[in-house]
Structure formats: structure tokens, C-alpha cells
Amino acid sequence: MKRKLTILLAVLLSAAMMGGCGKESGALKDMKVEKYLTLGEYMGLPVQLPSAAVDEAQVEELFRALYLDSVTPEMGILDREVVQGDTVNIDYEGKKDGVAFAGGTASGAQLEIGSGSFIAGFEDGLVGAAPGETRDLDLRFPEGYGNAELAGQAVVFTVTVNYIYPTDYKDEVVAALGIADITTVEGLRQFVRDYLETNAQNTYRAKLESTVVDNLIAGCVFQEIPEAVLQRYRNNIQEGMEADCAAQGVDINTYCMYSYGMDAETFLDQYAQEAAKQSLAFQAVANAEDLNVTDEELQENLEQYANQGGYATVEEFLGEMDREEYREYFMFEKVLDFLTQNARITEY
């Protein structure tokens, strides 16, 4: 089953923001959750993760892609022939038996000569071409090509070299990108580095949290989960999904079959089981480690949310929502932080 919502923070967001259905079964903090599960070991949960480090090759690849996208034809090289290693801007049309085939035509495409991005003979066939020149390349798709209609077939690509991308980097090209406060080559390179590092850290954190939650649940032994708890999560996700599907003009069953490979009833039942188990396990950890959210903490957090959202008061921010739903949300945050801080992480 594909799982988009493995972390309880997301589960609780759906519960708190989709209509307050959690009122049916009462607050988690008031339940004797230990009746429904035996909590396994949660300190030092083992986690294996790839390092979040970003190497300079990644930085250079994205930097170059951004830079080349900002190069205009007027900035291109027009006064020499194409050589191996050049990146060129080309238009091309592929024909089989004189008829253009699907996916074989493009304008303004970037191609590094010698990269092996195109079928054999295509890139070599452009070496020696001058910008503005058009060549017909008699080629053949490989036998194992993914498109059965083209596999092993003889084709002709008509290719025009528009210009060669310059190999030196200039500040004025970067300035034309329109990225706020980025006007130099080194500024763009640092911007790219910061972006990749932030993205890597976010991916690392998401993987850490997901693995910690999975390992926590795997270590618990669950008894029969109360139907009211299951119905709570089932109602919440169903309400949200139906609203999204209605906005997209698709029924929920079609969406679930396409996204998860199962009908809506099966998906909702599995989701409810998973969400309930995670909620009960998190509440059990909160009870064991005194991580429940006090009235004072709840009010402080709600005031921060209200201020950030531009609301005059907490009551205005809450609207018809139950503040106890937010108490659970903030508890989930505390427990997840606790589990990740105490995880036994091995990087590779």
C-alpha cells in the first residue's frame, strides 16, 4: 500500500482541519490507551539513513542547468563548428518512412554532445556542424528500444543547430534569471548549494521520522482497537478525500484505485487502522515520558498559531474546531521529536 500519511503529524492535521470528527470518541489523553496495546521498546529505535551531504557535482549540475536555461540565442556561440563536449541548442524532427513519429520532434532542445542522451549516431552526426546548419541523420533505433514501434527501425532525424552554449559563466546571464538578490555567478552557485542542502536535510528528516514511526509501531502489540477510534480516522480522511475528489471532478473510488491500487472502502479501512495504531502508540509514549500537553502549553501554542495566521484571538483562529484536537497535534509533535532525538541512527 502506498502511504502518503505515515507520520502522525499529517494524520492529526487531517483530523484537526477536516471538520472535528474526533469529538465522537473523546480526547486521546482521556483514554486508557494501555488497554489497547503493549508498548514496545521506543528508546534508541534503530534507523539507517543515507547521509544528507550534498557534493559539488550535484551543485554544479543544477547550477549549469539553471544557467543554460537563461542563455538567450543572442548570447550563444555562432562563429565556430560543434565539437565533442559542446552543449548545443537544436531543433529536430524524426521521421520513419517519411512520416513524423510521436515524441520525435522538439524545438530549442539542449543536448550535450558526447553525453549519450540520444540514440547512437545522433550526437556524433552533429560534430562539425555550424550554427544555423541543418543536417539529415540516417539512424536506427536499437533493437531493445522501449517503443516497440520504433525498436530496430531506420529513421531520419532532420536537425538544425541553433547555437552553441558558451562555456564561460557571466554575471549578466545570472542577473537575467530574475531570482531575488542573485546577480552573480557565485551568488547563483551558492543559491543552488543552499537549496540542495535544505532539500537534502528535509528529505533526511522525513525519512528519519517515517522510519522511527514504522519501528515504533512494529514493536507494539495491539489488542482490538475500539470501533469509535477507527471510525474517527476513517471519517476524517474520507471527508477530506471526498472534498478533494469533488474539486477535481473524480469520484473517491476511482481516485483510490488509481493512487493506491485498491477500492475506497479497503483504503479507508487500512488508513483508519494505521492512523489509530499510530495515535494510540504516540499517546502511550506521551504517558510514559510525561509528554502530554498542558493547558498552558496548549494556549501558548494556539496563540502563536493565531498570531502567525493573522487572527486577532485564539477563538477566532479556532472557529468551530475543538482545541483538544490541537492538543493532540502538539503532543504528536513532542513525541515525534522525542523519538527522533533518541533514535539510534546509522548513516551510509
Side-chain angles (χ1 to χ4, degrees):
M1 170 182 177
K2 297 180 182 177
R3 300 190 303 172
K4 292 184 177 180
L5 301 177
T6 50
I7 301 303
L8 266 178
L9 299 185
V11 172
L12 205 283
L13 273 177
S14 69
M17 311 307 177
M18 290 181 187
C21 295
K23 298 175 187 175
E24 295 175 7
S25 57
L28 275 175
K29 70 181 181 64
D30 297 326
M31 293 179 61
K32 300 294 184 182
V33 297
E34 290 77 12
K35 292 195 307 181
Y36 307 114
L37 82 160
T38 300
L39 190 61
E41 182 58 57
Y42 57 85
M43 292 290 290
L45 290 170
V47 179
Q48 291 189 327
L49 294 172
S51 169
V54 173
D55 61 43
E56 286 304 305
Q58 293 173 283
V59 174
E60 194 62 25
E61 180 179 1
L62 180 54
F63 164 81
R64 180 168 172 76
L66 284 173
Y67 184 91
L68 293 183
D69 279 343
S70 66
V71 173
T72 65
E74 294 75 23
M75 298 172 181
I77 298 172
L78 303 173
D79 59 358
R80 68 169 177 81
E81 297 177 345
V82 175
V83 299
Q84 285 287 342
D86 278 340
T87 298
V88 294
N89 184 286
I90 60 173
D91 300 334
Y92 62 85
E93 181 180 44
K95 294 181 178 180
K96 175 180 172 292
D97 299 326
V99 179
F101 53 84
T105 301
S107 297
Q110 290 180 16
L111 173 62
E112 181 181 347
I113 304 301
S115 64
S117 303
F118 282 47
I119 62 173
F122 190 104
E123 295 166 28
D124 288 343
L126 299 181
V127 172
E133 181 179 343
T134 298
R135 289 186 173 183
D136 287 331
L137 307 178
D138 294 314
L139 305 175
R140 185 177 295 275
F141 277 94
E143 293 292 341
Y145 190 67
N147 185 335
E149 293 183 0
L150 294 175
Q153 297 299 304
V155 294
V156 176
F157 278 96
T158 300
V159 187
T160 299
V161 176
N162 298 318
Y163 56 90
I164 302 168
Y165 287 93
T167 55
D168 57 330
Y169 300 127
K170 297 180 179 180
D171 292 343
E172 54 264 35
V173 176
V174 172
L177 277 168
I179 302 175
D181 301 322
I182 305 299
T183 58
T184 67
V185 169
E186 285 311 308
L188 178 60
R189 189 174 272 112
Q190 187 60 50
F191 173 83
V192 168
R193 184 178 293 107
D194 292 343
Y195 167 80
L196 289 175
E197 289 177 351
T198 298
N199 190 58
Q201 287 294 334
N202 289 341
T203 301
Y204 182 92
R205 178 71 184 184
K207 179 63 175 176
L208 170 60
E209 292 175 349
S210 178
T211 306
V212 161
V213 173
D214 286 346
N215 289 345
L216 171 69
I217 302 305
C220 294
V221 178
F222 291 90
Q223 312 304 320
E224 184 175 356
I225 299 173
E227 184 59 33
V229 176
L230 294 173
Q231 196 62 39
R232 169 187 183 177
Y233 291 106
R234 195 181 195 283
N235 287 348
N236 287 327
I237 189 62
Q238 183 173 357
E239 182 179 342
M241 288 179 67
E242 285 178 344
D244 288 342
C245 288
Q248 299 174 32
V250 63
D251 67 272
I252 187 172
N253 205 57
T254 300
Y255 174 82
C256 287
M257 288 299 298
Y258 178 81
S259 299
Y260 303 106
M262 64 186 76
D263 61 76
E265 287 297 312
T266 303
F267 170 77
L268 292 170
D269 287 343
Q270 291 191 13
Y271 175 92
Q273 283 282 341
E274 181 177 313
K277 286 181 178 180
Q278 291 182 19
S279 295
L280 294 172
F282 267 49
Q283 185 61 63
V285 174
N287 293 345
E289 296 295 334
D290 192 23
L291 296 173
N292 285 298
V293 176
T294 65
D295 291 341
E296 292 76 15
E297 286 178 295
L298 177 59
Q299 183 64 23
E300 181 181 343
N301 287 335
L302 287 174
E303 287 175 355
Q304 289 181 358
Y305 270 50
N307 290 335
Q308 292 170 1
Y311 294 91
T313 65
V314 167
E315 288 67 31
E316 182 183 343
F317 166 70
L318 287 173
E320 297 181 0
M321 299 297 178
D322 184 349
R323 67 171 52 218
E324 289 305 314
E325 298 281 10
Y326 285 92
R327 189 192 299 273
E328 291 181 13
Y329 170 62
F330 297 132
M331 178 272 287
F332 290 149
E333 282 189 319
K334 292 176 70 173
V335 171
L336 189 57
D337 284 343
F338 175 84
L339 294 174
T340 55
Q341 289 170 10
N342 289 282
R344 183 159 43 87
I345 302 172
T346 302
E347 293 185 355
Y348 58 89

